[in-house]
Amino acid sequence: MELLQNSFVTLGVIPVVPFLIVYFIGIGLRKDKKKTLLLAMDVTTLFLLLSVSALFNILFNAKFGFYFILLIVLISAGLIGGAQNRIKGKVDGRRLFRAVWRLAFFFLGVLYVLFLFIVLIQYISQAM
């Protein structure tokens, strides 16, 4: 049980690792690069959500990073759902979820790199 917990924490700290694991296993099993890439993005989004919220908490000395990011994701889902309703007259829940989840992957990936860079600079400057 402890090994599983430590593995999850390690994958959460470095979210590139689960992306690569899922991608290379998927390429070996499926041979379809597009679907494998999308699956790797979907799996990694969960780890990015946890990592970015932890980095947010460290950077801003807060305790609500996860809830703040979740709020942003829900607001974006509402906006995209509203746009779908205006354009098509109905909301396709599956497409809405996929769109929000993949946009979250992109924005959380950018935030992860940015926050990690800032936290590392803070750590190095405090060590000197």
Side-chain angles (χ1 to χ4, degrees), residues 10-12 14-29 33 35-45 47-48 105 112:
T10 302
L11 294 175
I14 309 168
V16 175
V17 173
F19 180 85
L20 294 174
I21 290 172
V22 171
Y23 184 74
F24 287 123
I25 289 175
I27 289 294
L29 296 177
K33 289 184 180 181
K35 286 185 180 181
T36 301
L37 179 66
L38 294 176
L39 178 64
M41 287 171 54
D42 291 343
V43 170
T44 306
T45 304
F47 292 104
L48 279 171
F105 172 80
Y112 177 78

PDB file of all heavy atoms in Angstrom, residues 10-12 14-29 33 35-45 47-48 105 112:
ATOM      1  N   THR A  10       4.948  10.518  -6.407  1.00  0.00           N
ATOM      2  CA  THR A  10       6.026  10.783  -7.364  1.00  0.00           C
ATOM      3  C   THR A  10       5.459  11.199  -8.713  1.00  0.00           C
ATOM      4  O   THR A  10       5.945  12.149  -9.332  1.00  0.00           O
ATOM      5  CB  THR A  10       6.912   9.531  -7.536  1.00  0.00           C
ATOM      6  OG1 THR A  10       7.430   9.163  -6.265  1.00  0.00           O
ATOM      7  CG2 THR A  10       8.043   9.796  -8.492  1.00  0.00           C
ATOM      8  N   LEU A  11       4.437  10.512  -9.173  1.00  0.00           N
ATOM      9  CA  LEU A  11       3.824  10.864 -10.455  1.00  0.00           C
ATOM     10  C   LEU A  11       3.134  12.226 -10.385  1.00  0.00           C
ATOM     11  O   LEU A  11       3.072  12.945 -11.377  1.00  0.00           O
ATOM     12  CB  LEU A  11       2.829   9.790 -10.886  1.00  0.00           C
ATOM     13  CG  LEU A  11       3.421   8.427 -11.218  1.00  0.00           C
ATOM     14  CD1 LEU A  11       2.308   7.431 -11.513  1.00  0.00           C
ATOM     15  CD2 LEU A  11       4.382   8.513 -12.371  1.00  0.00           C
ATOM     16  N   GLY A  12       2.634  12.574  -9.212  1.00  0.00           N
ATOM     17  CA  GLY A  12       1.997  13.872  -9.042  1.00  0.00           C
ATOM     18  C   GLY A  12       2.991  15.015  -9.042  1.00  0.00           C
ATOM     19  O   GLY A  12       2.698  16.119  -9.499  1.00  0.00           O
ATOM     20  N   ILE A  14       5.947  15.042 -10.639  1.00  0.00           N
ATOM     21  CA  ILE A  14       6.507  15.165 -11.990  1.00  0.00           C
ATOM     22  C   ILE A  14       5.473  14.620 -12.981  1.00  0.00           C
ATOM     23  O   ILE A  14       5.517  13.454 -13.370  1.00  0.00           O
ATOM     24  CB  ILE A  14       7.834  14.392 -12.104  1.00  0.00           C
ATOM     25  CG1 ILE A  14       8.766  14.779 -10.977  1.00  0.00           C
ATOM     26  CG2 ILE A  14       8.482  14.641 -13.454  1.00  0.00           C
ATOM     27  CD1 ILE A  14       9.959  13.882 -10.837  1.00  0.00           C
ATOM     28  N   PRO A  15       4.513  15.472 -13.421  1.00  0.00           N
ATOM     29  CA  PRO A  15       3.430  14.966 -14.262  1.00  0.00           C
ATOM     30  C   PRO A  15       3.832  14.585 -15.680  1.00  0.00           C
ATOM     31  O   PRO A  15       3.022  14.038 -16.422  1.00  0.00           O
ATOM     32  CB  PRO A  15       2.416  16.106 -14.272  1.00  0.00           C
ATOM     33  CG  PRO A  15       3.139  17.296 -13.828  1.00  0.00           C
ATOM     34  CD  PRO A  15       4.318  16.859 -13.042  1.00  0.00           C
ATOM     35  N   VAL A  16       5.065  14.836 -16.052  1.00  0.00           N
ATOM     36  CA  VAL A  16       5.527  14.407 -17.373  1.00  0.00           C
ATOM     37  C   VAL A  16       5.686  12.889 -17.406  1.00  0.00           C
ATOM     38  O   VAL A  16       5.468  12.258 -18.442  1.00  0.00           O
ATOM     39  CB  VAL A  16       6.857  15.110 -17.722  1.00  0.00           C
ATOM     40  CG1 VAL A  16       7.436  14.604 -19.012  1.00  0.00           C
ATOM     41  CG2 VAL A  16       6.659  16.612 -17.781  1.00  0.00           C
ATOM     42  N   VAL A  17       6.011  12.313 -16.261  1.00  0.00           N
ATOM     43  CA  VAL A  17       6.235  10.864 -16.182  1.00  0.00           C
ATOM     44  C   VAL A  17       4.975  10.070 -16.532  1.00  0.00           C
ATOM     45  O   VAL A  17       5.039   9.159 -17.364  1.00  0.00           O
ATOM     46  CB  VAL A  17       6.808  10.467 -14.806  1.00  0.00           C
ATOM     47  CG1 VAL A  17       6.892   8.976 -14.656  1.00  0.00           C
ATOM     48  CG2 VAL A  17       8.167  11.118 -14.602  1.00  0.00           C
ATOM     49  N   PRO A  18       3.790  10.380 -15.940  1.00  0.00           N
ATOM     50  CA  PRO A  18       2.607   9.610 -16.340  1.00  0.00           C
ATOM     51  C   PRO A  18       2.248   9.793 -17.811  1.00  0.00           C
ATOM     52  O   PRO A  18       1.767   8.862 -18.453  1.00  0.00           O
ATOM     53  CB  PRO A  18       1.481  10.126 -15.447  1.00  0.00           C
ATOM     54  CG  PRO A  18       2.032  11.171 -14.609  1.00  0.00           C
ATOM     55  CD  PRO A  18       3.485  11.285 -14.840  1.00  0.00           C
ATOM     56  N   PHE A  19       2.505  10.992 -18.341  1.00  0.00           N
ATOM     57  CA  PHE A  19       2.248  11.223 -19.758  1.00  0.00           C
ATOM     58  C   PHE A  19       3.087  10.275 -20.605  1.00  0.00           C
ATOM     59  O   PHE A  19       2.568   9.608 -21.502  1.00  0.00           O
ATOM     60  CB  PHE A  19       2.557  12.682 -20.129  1.00  0.00           C
ATOM     61  CG  PHE A  19       2.314  12.995 -21.570  1.00  0.00           C
ATOM     62  CD1 PHE A  19       1.047  13.345 -21.998  1.00  0.00           C
ATOM     63  CD2 PHE A  19       3.333  12.932 -22.506  1.00  0.00           C
ATOM     64  CE1 PHE A  19       0.803  13.639 -23.323  1.00  0.00           C
ATOM     65  CE2 PHE A  19       3.103  13.209 -23.832  1.00  0.00           C
ATOM     66  CZ  PHE A  19       1.830  13.567 -24.241  1.00  0.00           C
ATOM     67  N   LEU A  20       4.383  10.206 -20.311  1.00  0.00           N
ATOM     68  CA  LEU A  20       5.273   9.347 -21.091  1.00  0.00           C
ATOM     69  C   LEU A  20       4.938   7.869 -20.919  1.00  0.00           C
ATOM     70  O   LEU A  20       4.977   7.105 -21.879  1.00  0.00           O
ATOM     71  CB  LEU A  20       6.728   9.621 -20.708  1.00  0.00           C
ATOM     72  CG  LEU A  20       7.252  11.010 -21.069  1.00  0.00           C
ATOM     73  CD1 LEU A  20       8.651  11.207 -20.508  1.00  0.00           C
ATOM     74  CD2 LEU A  20       7.230  11.223 -22.565  1.00  0.00           C
ATOM     75  N   ILE A  21       4.598   7.473 -19.698  1.00  0.00           N
ATOM     76  CA  ILE A  21       4.259   6.067 -19.442  1.00  0.00           C
ATOM     77  C   ILE A  21       3.028   5.668 -20.262  1.00  0.00           C
ATOM     78  O   ILE A  21       3.040   4.657 -20.961  1.00  0.00           O
ATOM     79  CB  ILE A  21       4.026   5.824 -17.935  1.00  0.00           C
ATOM     80  CG1 ILE A  21       5.346   5.921 -17.169  1.00  0.00           C
ATOM     81  CG2 ILE A  21       3.365   4.471 -17.697  1.00  0.00           C
ATOM     82  CD1 ILE A  21       5.181   5.894 -15.663  1.00  0.00           C
ATOM     83  N   VAL A  22       1.970   6.467 -20.158  1.00  0.00           N
ATOM     84  CA  VAL A  22       0.730   6.147 -20.886  1.00  0.00           C
ATOM     85  C   VAL A  22       0.958   6.198 -22.395  1.00  0.00           C
ATOM     86  O   VAL A  22       0.478   5.339 -23.137  1.00  0.00           O
ATOM     87  CB  VAL A  22      -0.412   7.108 -20.472  1.00  0.00           C
ATOM     88  CG1 VAL A  22      -1.626   6.933 -21.360  1.00  0.00           C
ATOM     89  CG2 VAL A  22      -0.776   6.898 -19.022  1.00  0.00           C
ATOM     90  N   TYR A  23       1.727   7.175 -22.841  1.00  0.00           N
ATOM     91  CA  TYR A  23       1.960   7.315 -24.278  1.00  0.00           C
ATOM     92  C   TYR A  23       2.717   6.116 -24.848  1.00  0.00           C
ATOM     93  O   TYR A  23       2.307   5.533 -25.849  1.00  0.00           O
ATOM     94  CB  TYR A  23       2.717   8.617 -24.574  1.00  0.00           C
ATOM     95  CG  TYR A  23       2.907   8.868 -26.038  1.00  0.00           C
ATOM     96  CD1 TYR A  23       1.839   9.280 -26.835  1.00  0.00           C
ATOM     97  CD2 TYR A  23       4.136   8.675 -26.649  1.00  0.00           C
ATOM     98  CE1 TYR A  23       2.002   9.506 -28.190  1.00  0.00           C
ATOM     99  CE2 TYR A  23       4.309   8.900 -28.007  1.00  0.00           C
ATOM    100  CZ  TYR A  23       3.236   9.316 -28.766  1.00  0.00           C
ATOM    101  OH  TYR A  23       3.403   9.529 -30.112  1.00  0.00           O
ATOM    102  N   PHE A  24       3.811   5.736 -24.197  1.00  0.00           N
ATOM    103  CA  PHE A  24       4.610   4.639 -24.749  1.00  0.00           C
ATOM    104  C   PHE A  24       3.924   3.284 -24.598  1.00  0.00           C
ATOM    105  O   PHE A  24       4.041   2.428 -25.482  1.00  0.00           O
ATOM    106  CB  PHE A  24       6.014   4.628 -24.127  1.00  0.00           C
ATOM    107  CG  PHE A  24       6.871   5.747 -24.644  1.00  0.00           C
ATOM    108  CD1 PHE A  24       7.426   6.657 -23.774  1.00  0.00           C
ATOM    109  CD2 PHE A  24       7.104   5.894 -25.996  1.00  0.00           C
ATOM    110  CE1 PHE A  24       8.211   7.705 -24.245  1.00  0.00           C
ATOM    111  CE2 PHE A  24       7.887   6.923 -26.480  1.00  0.00           C
ATOM    112  CZ  PHE A  24       8.444   7.837 -25.604  1.00  0.00           C
ATOM    113  N   ILE A  25       3.198   3.072 -23.526  1.00  0.00           N
ATOM    114  CA  ILE A  25       2.423   1.833 -23.399  1.00  0.00           C
ATOM    115  C   ILE A  25       1.324   1.804 -24.461  1.00  0.00           C
ATOM    116  O   ILE A  25       1.078   0.779 -25.095  1.00  0.00           O
ATOM    117  CB  ILE A  25       1.836   1.682 -21.985  1.00  0.00           C
ATOM    118  CG1 ILE A  25       2.961   1.376 -20.984  1.00  0.00           C
ATOM    119  CG2 ILE A  25       0.764   0.596 -21.943  1.00  0.00           C
ATOM    120  CD1 ILE A  25       2.517   1.328 -19.548  1.00  0.00           C
ATOM    121  N   GLY A  26       0.662   2.948 -24.664  1.00  0.00           N
ATOM    122  CA  GLY A  26      -0.395   3.025 -25.679  1.00  0.00           C
ATOM    123  C   GLY A  26       0.123   2.800 -27.081  1.00  0.00           C
ATOM    124  O   GLY A  26      -0.524   2.135 -27.886  1.00  0.00           O
ATOM    125  N   ILE A  27       1.288   3.344 -27.392  1.00  0.00           N
ATOM    126  CA  ILE A  27       1.885   3.130 -28.714  1.00  0.00           C
ATOM    127  C   ILE A  27       2.196   1.650 -28.906  1.00  0.00           C
ATOM    128  O   ILE A  27       1.992   1.084 -29.979  1.00  0.00           O
ATOM    129  CB  ILE A  27       3.160   3.991 -28.891  1.00  0.00           C
ATOM    130  CG1 ILE A  27       2.802   5.459 -29.023  1.00  0.00           C
ATOM    131  CG2 ILE A  27       3.989   3.555 -30.087  1.00  0.00           C
ATOM    132  CD1 ILE A  27       2.032   5.819 -30.257  1.00  0.00           C
ATOM    133  N   GLY A  28       2.678   1.010 -27.838  1.00  0.00           N
ATOM    134  CA  GLY A  28       2.991  -0.414 -27.931  1.00  0.00           C
ATOM    135  C   GLY A  28       1.760  -1.277 -28.108  1.00  0.00           C
ATOM    136  O   GLY A  28       1.789  -2.285 -28.814  1.00  0.00           O
ATOM    137  N   LEU A  29       0.639  -0.888 -27.493  1.00  0.00           N
ATOM    138  CA  LEU A  29      -0.577  -1.700 -27.559  1.00  0.00           C
ATOM    139  C   LEU A  29      -1.498  -1.322 -28.723  1.00  0.00           C
ATOM    140  O   LEU A  29      -2.042  -2.194 -29.378  1.00  0.00           O
ATOM    141  CB  LEU A  29      -1.354  -1.570 -26.248  1.00  0.00           C
ATOM    142  CG  LEU A  29      -0.664  -2.097 -24.991  1.00  0.00           C
ATOM    143  CD1 LEU A  29      -1.519  -1.822 -23.765  1.00  0.00           C
ATOM    144  CD2 LEU A  29      -0.382  -3.582 -25.120  1.00  0.00           C
ATOM    145  N   LYS A  33      -1.396   6.652 -32.893  1.00  0.00           N
ATOM    146  CA  LYS A  33      -0.710   7.724 -32.175  1.00  0.00           C
ATOM    147  C   LYS A  33      -1.661   8.822 -31.717  1.00  0.00           C
ATOM    148  O   LYS A  33      -1.488   9.365 -30.623  1.00  0.00           O
ATOM    149  CB  LYS A  33       0.399   8.317 -33.045  1.00  0.00           C
ATOM    150  CG  LYS A  33       1.561   7.385 -33.226  1.00  0.00           C
ATOM    151  CD  LYS A  33       2.670   8.041 -34.000  1.00  0.00           C
ATOM    152  CE  LYS A  33       3.808   7.051 -34.150  1.00  0.00           C
ATOM    153  NZ  LYS A  33       4.942   7.616 -34.868  1.00  0.00           N
ATOM    154  N   LYS A  35      -4.994   8.714 -30.895  1.00  0.00           N
ATOM    155  CA  LYS A  35      -5.797   8.298 -29.744  1.00  0.00           C
ATOM    156  C   LYS A  35      -4.933   8.099 -28.508  1.00  0.00           C
ATOM    157  O   LYS A  35      -5.348   8.404 -27.393  1.00  0.00           O
ATOM    158  CB  LYS A  35      -6.563   7.013 -30.061  1.00  0.00           C
ATOM    159  CG  LYS A  35      -7.718   7.227 -30.990  1.00  0.00           C
ATOM    160  CD  LYS A  35      -8.516   5.965 -31.178  1.00  0.00           C
ATOM    161  CE  LYS A  35      -9.676   6.212 -32.123  1.00  0.00           C
ATOM    162  NZ  LYS A  35     -10.485   5.020 -32.312  1.00  0.00           N
ATOM    163  N   THR A  36      -3.721   7.603 -28.700  1.00  0.00           N
ATOM    164  CA  THR A  36      -2.813   7.401 -27.583  1.00  0.00           C
ATOM    165  C   THR A  36      -2.392   8.742 -26.989  1.00  0.00           C
ATOM    166  O   THR A  36      -2.319   8.887 -25.771  1.00  0.00           O
ATOM    167  CB  THR A  36      -1.574   6.605 -28.028  1.00  0.00           C
ATOM    168  OG1 THR A  36      -2.013   5.356 -28.550  1.00  0.00           O
ATOM    169  CG2 THR A  36      -0.626   6.370 -26.893  1.00  0.00           C
ATOM    170  N   LEU A  37      -2.127   9.721 -27.833  1.00  0.00           N
ATOM    171  CA  LEU A  37      -1.757  11.050 -27.362  1.00  0.00           C
ATOM    172  C   LEU A  37      -2.895  11.676 -26.568  1.00  0.00           C
ATOM    173  O   LEU A  37      -2.674  12.250 -25.489  1.00  0.00           O
ATOM    174  CB  LEU A  37      -1.383  11.948 -28.540  1.00  0.00           C
ATOM    175  CG  LEU A  37      -0.996  13.378 -28.195  1.00  0.00           C
ATOM    176  CD1 LEU A  37       0.297  13.395 -27.403  1.00  0.00           C
ATOM    177  CD2 LEU A  37      -0.873  14.212 -29.442  1.00  0.00           C
ATOM    178  N   LEU A  38      -4.121  11.547 -27.059  1.00  0.00           N
ATOM    179  CA  LEU A  38      -5.268  12.102 -26.353  1.00  0.00           C
ATOM    180  C   LEU A  38      -5.490  11.401 -25.012  1.00  0.00           C
ATOM    181  O   LEU A  38      -5.820  12.046 -24.015  1.00  0.00           O
ATOM    182  CB  LEU A  38      -6.517  12.015 -27.227  1.00  0.00           C
ATOM    183  CG  LEU A  38      -6.498  12.879 -28.492  1.00  0.00           C
ATOM    184  CD1 LEU A  38      -7.748  12.615 -29.324  1.00  0.00           C
ATOM    185  CD2 LEU A  38      -6.366  14.340 -28.149  1.00  0.00           C
ATOM    186  N   LEU A  39      -5.298  10.080 -24.969  1.00  0.00           N
ATOM    187  CA  LEU A  39      -5.426   9.344 -23.712  1.00  0.00           C
ATOM    188  C   LEU A  39      -4.355   9.771 -22.719  1.00  0.00           C
ATOM    189  O   LEU A  39      -4.635   9.967 -21.529  1.00  0.00           O
ATOM    190  CB  LEU A  39      -5.336   7.839 -23.968  1.00  0.00           C
ATOM    191  CG  LEU A  39      -5.408   6.948 -22.730  1.00  0.00           C
ATOM    192  CD1 LEU A  39      -6.766   7.080 -22.056  1.00  0.00           C
ATOM    193  CD2 LEU A  39      -5.115   5.506 -23.094  1.00  0.00           C
ATOM    194  N   ALA A  40      -3.130   9.952 -23.201  1.00  0.00           N
ATOM    195  CA  ALA A  40      -2.043  10.398 -22.320  1.00  0.00           C
ATOM    196  C   ALA A  40      -2.334  11.795 -21.776  1.00  0.00           C
ATOM    197  O   ALA A  40      -2.069  12.082 -20.601  1.00  0.00           O
ATOM    198  CB  ALA A  40      -0.717  10.376 -23.067  1.00  0.00           C
ATOM    199  N   MET A  41      -2.892  12.662 -22.607  1.00  0.00           N
ATOM    200  CA  MET A  41      -3.268  13.997 -22.144  1.00  0.00           C
ATOM    201  C   MET A  41      -4.349  13.917 -21.074  1.00  0.00           C
ATOM    202  O   MET A  41      -4.285  14.629 -20.060  1.00  0.00           O
ATOM    203  CB  MET A  41      -3.767  14.836 -23.320  1.00  0.00           C
ATOM    204  CG  MET A  41      -2.702  15.280 -24.256  1.00  0.00           C
ATOM    205  SD  MET A  41      -3.332  16.049 -25.768  1.00  0.00           S
ATOM    206  CE  MET A  41      -4.403  17.324 -25.154  1.00  0.00           C
ATOM    207  N   ASP A  42      -5.334  13.064 -21.281  1.00  0.00           N
ATOM    208  CA  ASP A  42      -6.433  12.938 -20.323  1.00  0.00           C
ATOM    209  C   ASP A  42      -5.949  12.436 -18.968  1.00  0.00           C
ATOM    210  O   ASP A  42      -6.370  12.936 -17.922  1.00  0.00           O
ATOM    211  CB  ASP A  42      -7.511  12.004 -20.877  1.00  0.00           C
ATOM    212  CG  ASP A  42      -8.250  12.615 -22.058  1.00  0.00           C
ATOM    213  OD1 ASP A  42      -8.170  13.838 -22.243  1.00  0.00           O
ATOM    214  OD2 ASP A  42      -8.891  11.844 -22.802  1.00  0.00           O
ATOM    215  N   VAL A  43      -5.074  11.444 -18.979  1.00  0.00           N
ATOM    216  CA  VAL A  43      -4.557  10.891 -17.721  1.00  0.00           C
ATOM    217  C   VAL A  43      -3.682  11.924 -17.013  1.00  0.00           C
ATOM    218  O   VAL A  43      -3.765  12.093 -15.789  1.00  0.00           O
ATOM    219  CB  VAL A  43      -3.773   9.588 -17.985  1.00  0.00           C
ATOM    220  CG1 VAL A  43      -3.027   9.135 -16.757  1.00  0.00           C
ATOM    221  CG2 VAL A  43      -4.716   8.502 -18.475  1.00  0.00           C
ATOM    222  N   THR A  44      -2.862  12.630 -17.755  1.00  0.00           N
ATOM    223  CA  THR A  44      -1.923  13.583 -17.174  1.00  0.00           C
ATOM    224  C   THR A  44      -2.629  14.795 -16.594  1.00  0.00           C
ATOM    225  O   THR A  44      -2.123  15.418 -15.659  1.00  0.00           O
ATOM    226  CB  THR A  44      -0.899  14.012 -18.241  1.00  0.00           C
ATOM    227  OG1 THR A  44      -0.299  12.845 -18.781  1.00  0.00           O
ATOM    228  CG2 THR A  44       0.167  14.895 -17.664  1.00  0.00           C
ATOM    229  N   THR A  45      -3.807  15.139 -17.098  1.00  0.00           N
ATOM    230  CA  THR A  45      -4.534  16.296 -16.589  1.00  0.00           C
ATOM    231  C   THR A  45      -4.824  16.157 -15.107  1.00  0.00           C
ATOM    232  O   THR A  45      -4.722  17.134 -14.356  1.00  0.00           O
ATOM    233  CB  THR A  45      -5.839  16.504 -17.379  1.00  0.00           C
ATOM    234  OG1 THR A  45      -5.526  16.629 -18.759  1.00  0.00           O
ATOM    235  CG2 THR A  45      -6.569  17.743 -16.921  1.00  0.00           C
ATOM    236  N   PHE A  47      -3.008  14.558 -12.860  1.00  0.00           N
ATOM    237  CA  PHE A  47      -1.763  14.800 -12.144  1.00  0.00           C
ATOM    238  C   PHE A  47      -1.367  16.272 -12.202  1.00  0.00           C
ATOM    239  O   PHE A  47      -0.835  16.822 -11.238  1.00  0.00           O
ATOM    240  CB  PHE A  47      -0.649  13.912 -12.704  1.00  0.00           C
ATOM    241  CG  PHE A  47      -0.853  12.460 -12.425  1.00  0.00           C
ATOM    242  CD1 PHE A  47      -1.280  11.599 -13.420  1.00  0.00           C
ATOM    243  CD2 PHE A  47      -0.632  11.949 -11.157  1.00  0.00           C
ATOM    244  CE1 PHE A  47      -1.484  10.263 -13.159  1.00  0.00           C
ATOM    245  CE2 PHE A  47      -0.843  10.609 -10.880  1.00  0.00           C
ATOM    246  CZ  PHE A  47      -1.262   9.757 -11.881  1.00  0.00           C
ATOM    247  N   LEU A  48      -1.627  16.921 -13.325  1.00  0.00           N
ATOM    248  CA  LEU A  48      -1.343  18.352 -13.438  1.00  0.00           C
ATOM    249  C   LEU A  48      -2.222  19.158 -12.488  1.00  0.00           C
ATOM    250  O   LEU A  48      -1.765  20.132 -11.881  1.00  0.00           O
ATOM    251  CB  LEU A  48      -1.553  18.837 -14.874  1.00  0.00           C
ATOM    252  CG  LEU A  48      -0.431  18.573 -15.849  1.00  0.00           C
ATOM    253  CD1 LEU A  48      -0.879  18.905 -17.269  1.00  0.00           C
ATOM    254  CD2 LEU A  48       0.795  19.373 -15.494  1.00  0.00           C
ATOM    255  N   PHE A 105      -5.792  20.660 -19.611  1.00  0.00           N
ATOM    256  CA  PHE A 105      -4.452  20.097 -19.805  1.00  0.00           C
ATOM    257  C   PHE A 105      -3.505  21.174 -20.321  1.00  0.00           C
ATOM    258  O   PHE A 105      -2.392  21.339 -19.807  1.00  0.00           O
ATOM    259  CB  PHE A 105      -4.490  18.925 -20.787  1.00  0.00           C
ATOM    260  CG  PHE A 105      -3.128  18.420 -21.183  1.00  0.00           C
ATOM    261  CD1 PHE A 105      -2.421  17.582 -20.346  1.00  0.00           C
ATOM    262  CD2 PHE A 105      -2.555  18.803 -22.381  1.00  0.00           C
ATOM    263  CE1 PHE A 105      -1.157  17.122 -20.694  1.00  0.00           C
ATOM    264  CE2 PHE A 105      -1.297  18.348 -22.742  1.00  0.00           C
ATOM    265  CZ  PHE A 105      -0.596  17.510 -21.895  1.00  0.00           C
ATOM    266  N   TYR A 112       1.972  24.897 -14.763  1.00  0.00           N
ATOM    267  CA  TYR A 112       2.936  24.044 -14.080  1.00  0.00           C
ATOM    268  C   TYR A 112       4.360  24.506 -14.359  1.00  0.00           C
ATOM    269  O   TYR A 112       5.165  24.660 -13.440  1.00  0.00           O
ATOM    270  CB  TYR A 112       2.764  22.584 -14.502  1.00  0.00           C
ATOM    271  CG  TYR A 112       3.775  21.657 -13.880  1.00  0.00           C
ATOM    272  CD1 TYR A 112       3.646  21.240 -12.559  1.00  0.00           C
ATOM    273  CD2 TYR A 112       4.876  21.198 -14.601  1.00  0.00           C
ATOM    274  CE1 TYR A 112       4.574  20.403 -11.992  1.00  0.00           C
ATOM    275  CE2 TYR A 112       5.807  20.364 -14.036  1.00  0.00           C
ATOM    276  CZ  TYR A 112       5.646  19.970 -12.724  1.00  0.00           C
ATOM    277  OH  TYR A 112       6.576  19.141 -12.148  1.00  0.00           O
TER     278      TYR A 112
END
